[in-house]
């Protein structure tokens, strides 16, 4: 499956939002994918080759190469990959990956903490994570390692090359700050510890000024250290200390000739400091607040624009020419697991997602957030939309059902104590405003909803585990429920009794009616996709869905195909009647929580535990409606 677009940004990764030297593109990680975004057209293309979450991104000074590192599991090697930027732009958002991967570099264990290209782009420096803690120098043209060295006796967190000298760089971390010289002929790295006296700091970020005279080091205690790069001596620190530490630092030469330092803090403050010449302390010039901890600050080639990324998945653009800093929001995304995605009936232009604390409404074409509904410190487990589009119904971890207006986000009503310990599934009736809910307690409840009140009609209790999925028939007379106890039950909502029940040795995660409502299809923890007869509950067919648990499935409107997603991190497209696999989409770095086919059948949307929303191109399926059949047969309609 071809990945068309993504909504998300792995903002928890330090220094991962990077501006390209051409001034038009930015790069950032999302799960195991590196996203290249065009700032003018909003177009996206993707670098896919990692099998684990991307931990760091770097771009060469000439813009030709991109380097990315990953974080894998204990006992495994972490790969760094060098990519050809122009090949990625040329291929665009297509399945073609020709010429993109230049080198795969494998030496570090578990995690690659940071990557940096030398000023002449001939060398690539990589720093391993705390389980590795080694520096390795790579030859970019050949992809071969030149030399390596332990970074320090304690964990190193950051590296920075000299601006003009390709044989000098710095590293810093837990109570260590070092200046390094690279001996190309002798294939050795020679460290010199910085002289900081009695100061003991955890260095989180390093940048070196344009003249290679001074380095500015952000620390976990919230102060900025100014280091003389020629002799390694501590010069002075900033007057102010910043709350929750400094996570990112960048320096540039201002238009007025002054040296400026831009820093991002863990408290969501972006500050610009003036660095006076000599031993004068750094003075704060201007500050601006953003949403979330500032983990990345990257400057444009002209040093007039700063691209800022935060751990909550927000990206900003800051004009550095202004007297006072002003952060303009460029994009938002989920930063925690997304639990469900939902399209309005018959509409593919917008869709809803739910996550921890919020429900969000997105534009499909622009990939931008249109509405955010926030309920602090609670988790939204399920969402549904009224058939007429006048209400968003949501189930929350506090056991309440909340309904909101889709245009304003205004609260319409609350059903208190709908389910003890939390609401896990919600379905809205097609012919009325009534709502069906499922909970952790195993109960299925039907609620009559009017403008004046919300009253309980019936409680259906046979499940012994959480009800994870609900599906209503088109006439709202029956409801199918799937539970973690290994049972699925079809209920008569008019009489409040059970019609059909079927069981399996699994935790059912999702259930869907075929469009003609003659069959069900289910998936669960046993990795199997099962077809069931809707009349008597007998199993018709069982398919092997993969090697890991399946969390979600959805049938496209014509019933020709269906999609699944699960813990194997792959979106799979299946032919319904034949039962064979038609396509696979790889891009998530964690389990897929929900997957849905757009009503127009042009794309598939999947959401994952890493907080990403991914849009996949839906291939044409044979055996659809009459018009599609006629086109496939070459007939005019």
């Amino acid at each position: 499956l071809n990945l068309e677009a993504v909504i998300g940004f792995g903002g928890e990764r330090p220094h991962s939002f990077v501006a390209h030297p051409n001034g038009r593109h930015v790069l950032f990680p999302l799960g195991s994918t590196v996203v290249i975004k065009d700032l003018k057209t909003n177009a996206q293309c993707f670098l896919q080759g990692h099998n684990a979450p991307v931990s760091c991104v770097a771009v060469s000074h000439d813009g030709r190469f991109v380097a990315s590192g990953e974080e894998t599991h204990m006992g495994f090697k972490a790969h760094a990959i060098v990519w050809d930027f122009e090949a990625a732009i040329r291929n665009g958002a297509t399945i073609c990956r020709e010429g993109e991967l230049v080198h795969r570099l494998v030496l570090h264990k578990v995690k690659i903490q940071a990557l940096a290209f030398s000023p002449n782009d001939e060398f690539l420096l990589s720093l391993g994570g705390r389980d590795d803690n080694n520096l390795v120098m790579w030859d970019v043209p050949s992809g071969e390692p030149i030399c390596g060295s332990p970074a320090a006796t304690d964990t190193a967190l950051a590296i920075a090359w000299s601006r003009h000298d390709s044989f000098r760089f710095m590293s810093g971390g837990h109570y260590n700050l070092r200046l390094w010289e690279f001996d190309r002929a002798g294939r050795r790295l020679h460290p010199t510890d910085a002289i900081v006296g009695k100061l003991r700091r955890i260095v989180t970020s390093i940048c070196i000024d344009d003249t290679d005279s001074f380095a500015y080091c952000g620390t976990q205690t919230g102060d900025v250290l100014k280091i003389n790069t020629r002799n390694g001596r501590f010069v002075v620190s900033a007057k102010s200390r910043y709350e929750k530490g400094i996570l990112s630092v960048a320096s540039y030469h201002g238009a007025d000739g002054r040296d400026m330092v831009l820093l991002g803090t863990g408290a969501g403050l972006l500050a610009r400091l003036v660095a006076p010449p000599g031993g004068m302390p750094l003075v704060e010039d201007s500050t601006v607040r953003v949403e979330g901890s500032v983990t990345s600050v990257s400057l444009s080639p002209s040093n007039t624009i700063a691209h800022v990324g935060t751990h909550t998945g927000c990206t900003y653009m800051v004009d550095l020419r202004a007297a006072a800093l002003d952060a303009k929001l460029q994009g938002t995304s989920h930063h925690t697991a997304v639990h469900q995605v939902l399209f309005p009936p018959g509409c593919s232009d917008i869709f809803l997602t739910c996550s921890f604390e919020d429900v969000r409404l997105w534009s499909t074409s622009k990939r931008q957030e249109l509405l955010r509904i926030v309920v602090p410190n609670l988790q939204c487990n399920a969402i549904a939309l009224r058939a007429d589009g006048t209400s968003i119904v949501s189930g929350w971890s506090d056991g309440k059902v909340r309904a909101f207006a889709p245009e304003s986000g205004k609260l319409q009503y609350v059903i208190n104590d709908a389910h003890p310990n939390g609401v896990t599934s919600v379905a809205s009736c097609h012919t009325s405003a009534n709502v069906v809910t499922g909970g952790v307690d195993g109960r299925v409840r039907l609620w009559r909803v009017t403008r004046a009140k919300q009253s309980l009609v019936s409680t259906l209790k046979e499940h012994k585990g959480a009800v994870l999925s609900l599906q209503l028939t088109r006439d709202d007379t029956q409801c199918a429920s799937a539970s973690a106890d290994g049972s699925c039950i079809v209920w008569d909502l008019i009489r409040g009794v059970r019609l059909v029940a079927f069981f399996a040795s699994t935790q059912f995660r999702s259930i869907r009616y075929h469009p003609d409502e003659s069959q069900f299809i289910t998936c669960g923890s046993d990795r199997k996709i099962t077809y069931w007869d809707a009349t008597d509950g007998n199993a018709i067919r069982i398919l092997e869905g993969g090697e890991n648990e399946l969390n979600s499935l959805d049938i496209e409107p014509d019933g020709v195909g269906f999609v699944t997603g699960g813990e194997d991190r792959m979106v799979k497209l299946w032919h319904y009647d034949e039962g064979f696999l038609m396509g696979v989409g790889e891009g998530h770095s964690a389990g897929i929580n929900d997957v849905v086919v757009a009503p127009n059948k042009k794309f598939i949307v999947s959401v994952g535990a890493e907080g990403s929303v991914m849009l996949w191109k839906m291939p044409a399926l044979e055996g659809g409606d009459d018009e599609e059949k006629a086109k496939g047969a070459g007939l005019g309609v």
Side-chain angles (χ1 to χ4, degrees), residues 175-186:
Y175 316 115
N176 62 82
L177 185 60
R178 286 181 156 187
L179 293 84
W180 297 79
E181 288 191 8
F182 171 39
D183 180 4
R184 180 67 174 91

Side-chain angles (χ1 to χ4, degrees), residues 509 523-529 543-551 564-572 574 581 584 586 591:
R509 301 282 169 78
C523 68
S525 60
D526 62 352
R527 310 182 299 279
K528 290 181 173 60
I529 303 164
L543 303 177
E544 286 292 337
E547 298 180 355
N548 294 90
E549 298 180 6
L550 297 175
N551 294 330
T564 61
E567 296 301 320
D568 59 0
R569 304 175 293 179
M570 292 187 287
V571 177
K572 296 181 179 180
W574 305 78
L581 188 62
V584 177
E586 297 185 39

Side-chain angles (χ1 to χ4, degrees), residues 156-203:
L157 300 175
I159 53 176
W161 274 99
S162 167
R163 292 289 184 96
H164 306 288
D165 190 344
S166 295
F167 298 93
R168 292 173 61 87
F169 62 91
M170 290 186 65
S171 70
H174 286 250
Y175 316 115
N176 62 82
L177 185 60
R178 286 181 156 187
L179 293 84
W180 297 79
E181 288 191 8
F182 171 39
D183 180 4
R184 180 67 174 91
R187 301 169 70 97
R188 291 182 62 87
L189 298 175
H190 302 284
T192 303
D193 289 319
I195 304 171
V196 294
K198 294 183 179 180
L199 287 175
R200 287 177 57 81
R201 296 288 187 270
I202 298 177
V203 177

